[in-house]
Amino acid sequence: MDTLVEEQISVAVSSSQSAIDRATTSSNQTGQNGTAQPTGILSASSLVSGTQVRGNGTILLMPRASEKNIATTVSSTTQAIAVPQPGGAVSIVHVSIPSGTQPMHVQSVIQPNQQSVIQAPGGTGLQSLGKNVILLNKGSVIHSAEGDGGVHPVQLITTAKGDGCDGDGITLALSTAEDESRKRREILARRPSYRKILNELSSTEPVVSLGTNVEVKEESGTGGDNIHESDTSTALASNTITVAGTQYHTAQGLLKVPASAIQLATGSQDGTLQGLQTLTMTNAGTAATGTIVQYAQGQDGQQFLVPVTLSAADLQAYQIRTAGVTTSTGLPQGVVMTPASTIQNPQQLAEETSRRREHRLLKNREAAKECRRKKKEYIKCLENRVAVLENQNKALIEELKSLKELYCQKNE
DNA sequence: CTCCGCTATCGTCATAGATT
DNA sequence: AATCTATGACGATAGCGGAG
């Protein structure tokens, strides 16, 4: 349990309006990222599955903690503390960024469902940040743009204490170039389809590593703030980034679900989760009993999977109760996958074939959804990067202007 | 109101690559 | 080798806005 605590991510931005809707499960494979989805799941490669089984039998869904190199990058860390505001609409994030010998304290107001910026006070503060501004935005990525144009990942490292459920801390650490390149290679290896795109981008300029995205997403916004770090010192003081007239807001919050997550589909259309959502997880080998996973959200915005073992009668009752109710994915609830049985006649063979086909279609349907969600996130990441670079460019242009003016004044 | 074009979303198929 | 997963491609469908 203690080790699990260290894997938790405490989201710096709190929101009382959080609710998860239409969370779908992703059965992440080994080393596979589950990326966040507008409907629910998330996975950032810099996070490690952190499902915590509590003593009371509940399973606490936690963001995936950082990878192995976290420990090596903790040296330069920042602390972000969320202070819930009355009404929960706005949170204030305090960030302490060690810079040289003096820590730099910054503060920012985080708007739910919007990009926000943590900006150090004054220009000197920015400089002491290593020309970085930390941009917190919702449902997006974390990366830091260095002055040389390179974009370096920012890792979220939890500092939560106790059971870590309160989400009272975020630690940011700038990865080393080696970490970044290593992680990028890992990501590229895991995402062959994006390899080409990333390589193309890499050939022209340093590319933000998708694998360093840290996304804590909920449909309603709890803890879904992402952090951008940029060296832009002038143009990031708003909650949105405007590029060519287009305002970039981050996506809605997504719930981060560990690698072993279960996709839950709720019928909620308004993004709110009322009460428990349930999903039948029937053990294929034991038809006599089933496990209902109840999916609940606590007041602190955290989500729980509460497995409840049911008897056959209870399970049947449950399936009857949910019969005809379809999820947002169109899947009827209460569908139980039966184990492959011995085929005794052509009819059974046909049924088995049909069942397998249905199963395959079902899996592929979900996979397609996941894939599209990832692609959207990827595009969003690129858009965010464009925005950051745009702002960098603006800042550099402004700086050049001022330097030119200064030079002209000296010569006069 | 109807038609048309555009866009977004979804389901399905095919297939490459990863995993068992 | 069999199986699974991710993803590109394709077609179907719905929604929306503009033109007539």
Side-chain angles (χ1 to χ4, degrees), chain A residues 39 77 136 176 191 224 309 345 366 386 392:
Chain A
T39 55
T77 62
L136 288 183
T176 64
R191 291 185 174 181
T309 301
N345 56 49
E366 294 299 318
V386 167
Q392 280 183 239

Side-chain angles (χ1 to χ4, degrees), chain A residues 210-222:
Chain A
L210 280 179
T212 63
N213 293 355
V214 176
E215 303 180 359
V216 180
K217 297 184 173 185
E218 298 175 0
E219 200 65 12
S220 63
T222 295

Side-chain angles (χ1 to χ4, degrees), chain A residues 108-111 114-117 135-137 236-241 248-250:
Chain A
S108 181
V109 176
I110 306 301
Q111 300 283 353
Q114 289 185 359
Q115 283 187 339
S116 300
V117 174
L135 169 63
L136 288 183
N137 71 344
L236 293 178
S238 65
N239 287 329
T240 60
I241 295 175
Y248 288 90
H249 294 270
T250 58

Side-chain angles (χ1 to χ4, degrees), chain A residues 11 35 62 94 126 128 214 216 231 235 251 295 326 338 358 402 412:
Chain A
V11 179
T35 41
M62 283 178 292
H94 302 272
L126 291 169
S128 67
V214 176
V216 180
D231 62 352
Y295 169 72
T326 56
T338 58
E358 288 301 315
S402 61
E412 286 175 357

Side-chain angles (χ1 to χ4, degrees), chain A residues 52-363:
Chain A
Q52 178 181 0
V53 180
R54 290 179 151 183
N56 59 5
T58 61
I59 299 173
L60 173 60
L61 295 182
M62 283 178 292
R64 304 164 68 190
S66 174
E67 292 176 352
K68 297 173 187 174
N69 57 354
I70 280 182
T72 65
T73 59
V74 175
S75 57
S76 67
T77 62
T78 64
Q79 288 275 342
I81 300 174
V83 179
Q85 297 301 289
V90 177
S91 299
I92 297 177
V93 175
H94 302 272
V95 179
S96 174
I97 303 168
S99 173
T101 57
Q102 294 295 324
M104 170 59 58
H105 296 282
V106 299
Q107 174 177 319
S108 181
V109 176
I110 306 301
Q111 300 283 353
N113 300 316
Q114 289 185 359
Q115 283 187 339
S116 300
V117 174
I118 293 179
Q119 194 168 19
T124 57
L126 291 169
Q127 289 174 2
S128 67
L129 286 176
K131 296 190 297 183
N132 283 331
V133 174
I134 296 175
L135 169 63
L136 288 183
N137 71 344
K138 197 80 170 177
S140 186
V141 298
I142 294 181
H143 53 82
S144 72
E146 293 295 329
D148 58 1
V151 177
H152 296 251
V154 177
Q155 293 182 342
L156 276 182
I157 301 171
T158 63
T159 58
K161 297 175 182 177
D163 65 358
C165 294
D166 294 332
D168 58 354
I170 276 185
T171 300
L172 299 176
L174 294 179
S175 303
T176 64
E178 287 183 56
D179 294 332
E180 179 189 1
S181 62
R182 187 180 62 81
K183 287 198 292 185
R184 183 184 303 175
R185 284 194 299 271
E186 291 175 358
I187 293 307
L188 292 179
R190 288 195 296 262
R191 291 185 174 181
S193 63
Y194 291 147
R195 193 180 312 167
K196 183 180 176 182
I197 301 172
L198 287 173
N199 281 338
E200 286 174 355
L201 290 171
S202 298
S203 65
T204 57
E205 60 179 0
V207 173
V208 60
S209 173
L210 280 179
T212 63
N213 293 355
V214 176
E215 303 180 359
V216 180
K217 297 184 173 185
E218 298 175 0
E219 200 65 12
S220 63
T222 295
D225 291 296
N226 301 317
I227 299 175
H228 280 229
E229 186 163 351
S230 164
D231 62 352
T232 305
S233 60
T234 58
L236 293 178
S238 65
N239 287 329
T240 60
I241 295 175
T242 302
V243 176
T246 301
Q247 283 193 335
Y248 288 90
H249 294 270
T250 58
Q252 304 88 347
L254 297 175
L255 166 64
K256 185 168 285 188
V257 177
S260 59
I262 296 153
Q263 288 195 340
L264 300 176
T266 76
S268 176
Q269 297 294 323
D270 58 357
T272 60
L273 177 66
Q274 302 292 336
L276 296 175
Q277 300 294 325
T278 55
L279 171 69
T280 305
M281 294 175 58
T282 300
N283 188 335
T286 58
T289 61
T291 300
I292 297 294
V293 177
Q294 291 191 319
Y295 169 72
Q297 182 173 23
Q299 287 187 339
D300 56 358
Q302 295 203 326
Q303 287 72 40
F304 302 92
L305 287 183
V306 186
V308 179
T309 301
L310 301 179
S311 66
D314 290 337
L315 186 60
Q316 184 180 15
Y318 170 77
Q319 290 177 2
I320 290 172
R321 179 161 52 92
T322 60
V325 178
T326 56
T327 66
S328 61
T329 61
L331 295 177
Q333 294 182 354
V335 171
V336 178
M337 299 302 295
T338 58
S341 58
T342 305
I343 305 303
Q344 296 179 349
N345 56 49
Q347 184 179 358
Q348 282 185 331
L349 179 62
E351 288 177 357
E352 176 68 12
T353 301
S354 175
R355 189 190 64 80
R356 286 184 178 177
R357 171 181 161 78
E358 288 301 315
H359 182 63
R360 180 167 47 81
L361 290 178
L362 175 69
K363 297 285 270 185

